[in-house]
Amino acid sequence: MAKKNHSEMSFLDHLEVLRWVLIRSTIAILIGATVAYTYSEFIFDVIIFGPKSGDFVTYRFFCDLATKYNLDQSFCIHELPFSIQNRTMEGQFSMLIWTSITAGFIIAFPFILWELWKFVGPALYEKEKKNIKYFISLASLLFFIGVAFGYFVLVPLSINFLANLTISSVVENQIDVDSYIGLVKTTSLATGLIFELPIVIYFLSRMGVVTPKFLRDYRKYAYVIILIIAAIVTPPDVISQGIVTIPLIILYEISIFISKIVNKNRDAKTA
């Protein structure tokens, strides 16, 4: 049977295509999860529990920075004041499986993008279809940079802040393994997705949902939110807060620029 043209496909046909996109993406995630499971010892000992060590690269970087410029010395530590424990029989097995799946999603992300592009591709212009390799490369790069930024910057800053926050000397920090790993996974993955903001803005601008004017009008509110987040997770010095704030502001400004280009091209084609 001849393949249907995109414009001739019914709603159910689109759902069938989407179903296979989800199936293939799930298979890719499971393959990535299997690879992660094979190297689970390295993932947990070196990656997941790395930020718990006072010798972690981020703490050493901030300590050297603070020493050089005579700033806050809270990152010059040898050991963080908390221990990690498992309090449920199936806890470690559950963490092993879900951490492998999360790692599988990160590994399979470029393939998932490829599948999503094939799904929305028929609705795009021919020139946009030809740029698929640039889209996949850029979107994947932004995602991996975001995951790295979350893991190497936000995760250790958050762990250091929360581990040293005490309401009383009576309370000891004995952190459940599910809580600790949840912080590492959620922060890293969420930051990776946040770094996809320029890509999301591109498609929203194409659909007319977002305009450069809208992004510029709400710029000050976006900046305030970014500054609040940076102030919470960093020590009270300008350099540390700038390391968190500047990349997010640059990301927002890039999104405005992308929206401007998309709207300008759409207006030109309409005219």
Side-chain angles (χ1 to χ4, degrees):
M1 188 173 71
K3 187 177 179 180
K4 291 184 178 181
N5 185 274
H6 181 75
S7 59
E8 298 173 351
M9 294 174 64
S10 66
F11 177 72
L12 291 179
D13 290 332
H14 281 94
L15 285 181
E16 178 65 15
V17 174
L18 179 60
R19 184 172 76 91
W20 280 104
V21 168
L22 295 177
I23 289 174
R24 288 190 294 267
S25 297
T26 301
I27 292 173
I29 292 173
L30 292 177
I31 293 173
T34 303
V35 174
Y37 181 87
T38 304
Y39 296 95
S40 59
E41 184 175 347
F42 172 81
I43 289 175
F44 280 98
D45 291 344
V46 178
I47 299 178
I48 299 293
F49 295 117
K52 184 186 180 302
S53 171
D55 195 43
F56 189 63
V57 60
T58 304
Y59 302 139
R60 286 190 280 111
F61 171 77
F62 277 105
C63 180
D64 293 341
L65 201 65
T67 303
K68 183 176 180 180
Y69 294 101
N70 195 26
L71 302 173
D72 184 81
Q73 302 287 319
S74 60
F75 281 99
C76 297
I77 53 178
H78 298 288
E79 185 178 357
L80 288 165
F82 72 95
S83 60
I84 299 176
Q85 60 180 351
N86 173 51
R87 296 182 298 171
T88 58
M89 186 63 70
E90 76 287 353
Q92 296 196 50
F93 176 75
S94 177
M95 283 297 98
L96 174 61
I97 297 302
W98 284 108
T99 300
S100 297
I101 291 174
T102 303
F105 175 81
I106 294 173
I107 293 171
F109 190 77
F111 179 81
I112 296 172
L113 286 178
W114 167 262
E115 287 294 329
L116 291 175
W117 180 274
K118 288 196 299 183
F119 178 70
V120 303
L124 301 176
Y125 299 113
E126 286 300 320
K127 183 179 179 181
E128 292 172 323
K129 293 178 184 178
K130 293 178 182 178
N131 293 330
I132 179 171
K133 60 182 180 180
Y134 301 110
F135 167 79
I136 300 296
S137 300
L138 178 60
S140 299
L141 180 63
L142 286 173
F143 177 74
F144 291 131
I145 290 175
V147 171
F149 181 77
Y151 174 74
F152 286 106
V153 179
L154 295 185
V155 167
L157 291 178
S158 300
I159 289 176
N160 182 72
F161 170 75
L162 295 173
N164 288 286
L165 178 66
T166 58
I167 57 174
S168 172
S169 58
V170 176
V171 182
E172 295 182 2
N173 283 330
Q174 297 178 348
I175 310 300
D176 190 82
V177 64
D178 180 64
S179 175
Y180 175 87
I181 295 180
L183 172 65
V184 176
K185 290 193 303 183
T186 303
T187 303
S188 301
L189 193 58
T191 310
L193 295 176
I194 288 173
F195 269 58
E196 293 296 296
L197 180 63
I199 306 298
V200 174
I201 292 299
Y202 168 79
F203 284 104
L204 291 178
S205 298
R206 281 195 78 257
M207 294 184 292
V209 177
V210 171
T211 64
K213 183 179 184 305
F214 174 84
L215 295 174
R216 284 193 292 264
D217 289 344
Y218 285 89
R219 175 192 276 137
K220 57 184 178 182
Y221 301 108
Y223 282 11
V224 169
I225 293 173
I226 291 172
L227 288 170
I228 290 174
I229 294 174
I232 291 175
V233 301
T234 59
D237 63 75
V238 177
I239 294 179
S240 300
Q241 293 175 7
I243 291 174
V244 175
T245 303
I246 292 174
L248 298 179
I249 289 178
I250 292 174
L251 206 64
Y252 191 84
E253 293 298 326
I254 291 174
S255 299
I256 295 176
F257 179 72
I258 290 174
S259 180
K260 181 180 178 180
I261 292 176
V262 171
N263 276 266
K264 182 178 180 180
N265 292 339
R266 189 178 65 243
D267 293 341
K269 285 172 182 166
T270 303

